[in-house]
Amino acid sequence: MSNRLDYAKASPEGYKAFGGVYVYLQNSGLSHELIDLVYLRVSQINGCAFCIDMHSRDLVKLGINVEKLVLVPVWRDAGNVFTARERIALGWAESVTNVALSGIPDADYIAAAAEFGDKELADLTYAIGLMNAFNRFGVAFRVKPAASA
């Protein structure tokens, strides 16, 4: 089945509410590149083609090099391609996204809390939660990536 519900059109107020969180995060003080790296990694875990395409494109627009972009799924093995802050954010994103499997261990929280202040960690977790929600809409309703249009 390729044609499913256009959720934004079916529930514009709900979509607008999620958009409000997205706008807040863009102005939260976290770097746009860090947020988009997290969005991309969460989307890769969840298998959302639309979001993987969108956030890859966003990262390219922000100037990320292709070598870094293609290593996002294997960031742990990429050496110094990612900064310590990016590695901690990506680790937190994986732990929170995989909550049913990870239980979000204390070690993951301690690492994230040591790098990010309280507001930053809350905002980073909002970003992870938002992308998990958007991924579920994208996958549930088979939203097509721009590359396929």
Side-chain angles (χ1 to χ4, degrees), residues 20-86:
V21 176
Y22 180 84
V23 169
Y24 165 76
L25 290 166
Q26 292 300 302
N27 299 304
S28 69
L30 292 172
S31 79
H32 291 180
E33 184 173 323
L34 182 72
I35 291 171
D36 278 321
L37 281 170
V38 165
Y39 285 166
L40 177 59
R41 184 65 192 120
V42 169
S43 299
Q44 290 169 337
I45 292 167
N46 291 323
C48 182
F50 177 83
C51 293
I52 291 169
D53 179 62
M54 179 171 66
H55 298 298
S56 295
R57 291 171 186 273
D58 289 346
L59 284 161
V60 168
K61 287 178 193 170
L62 289 172
I64 190 173
N65 63 46
V66 172
E67 293 79 13
K68 186 172 185 174
L69 183 65
V70 299
L71 291 173
V72 171
V74 293
W75 63 269
R76 291 182 199 280
D77 299 318
N80 292 328
V81 171
F82 297 92
T83 67
R85 186 171 174 86
E86 290 168 340

Side-chain angles (χ1 to χ4, degrees), residues 70 93 106 115:
V70 299
D106 288 343
E115 177 65 32

